[in-house]
Amino acid sequence: MDSSSNGVSWPGTCGGTRIRHPYSLSALPRPPFIRVTIKRLRMQSLAATRLKPGTRVWVEGPYGVFTRHARRGGRVVLIGAGVGISPIRALLEDLPEHTDVTVILRASSAEDLVHRAEVTQLVSERGGQLHEIVGPRKKVRLDGNVLRKLVGKVSNTDVYVCGPAGFSEGVTESLLRLGVRHDRIHQEAFAF
């Protein structure tokens, strides 16, 4: 199992203090541009919305573990929750054309399904399956039983998981119980 963290920072307004914030690439980089999705967190998020074009920023990561290059087989399951849907969207764009792909998106409400239309289009273009799990966490669960119903046998599948720590840990535990090997689970962590 692999994980990474990444961040973006820029000079702050309080005595030049550097402000750090987690981010996700939400599309394939197309130099000289990268598309980033930043989750709204405290004051750092507000500061990010005030950045002007041309502001120098420092970007750390990603480190290549949450890419198509980490997969070992032809079948891929992508599971994302919250802002964790952003790197799922970018990865989906980068998968080879004929990859057997299933995407599972998890959110508390339909409005929280980040990049929903783009993910839907990319899954459709690849002839894949898209499942949306929407509702409060305590009422609408994404556990081993649900995973088995949505994706069937996953033991020889590469599974990419991205979302809040508790979500990712729970999904990973369920995948291991379903027979997915550690080296076939690829995880993106939002941690500093």
Side-chain angles (χ1 to χ4, degrees), residues 159-192:
V159 184
Y160 292 79
V161 181
C162 190
F167 168 82
S168 295
E169 290 164 9
V171 169
T172 297
E173 288 173 16
S174 294
L175 291 167
L176 291 169
R177 282 194 296 275
L178 290 172
V180 180
R181 294 188 336 243
H182 268 285
D183 65 339
R184 300 292 290 267
I185 300 172
H186 315 286
Q187 201 172 16
E188 174 78 9
F190 290 105
F192 278 81

Side-chain angles (χ1 to χ4, degrees), residues 18 20 25 31 33 35 68 88 99 118 124 133 140 143-144 157 159 163-164 171 178 181 185 191:
R18 185 175 288 184
R20 292 185 51 135
L25 291 179
F33 301 103
R35 177 175 153 190
R68 68 180 170 97
I88 295 293
T99 304
E118 294 174 38
S124 176
I133 311 296
V140 182
D143 57 20
T157 302
V159 184
V171 169
L178 290 172
R181 294 188 336 243
I185 300 172

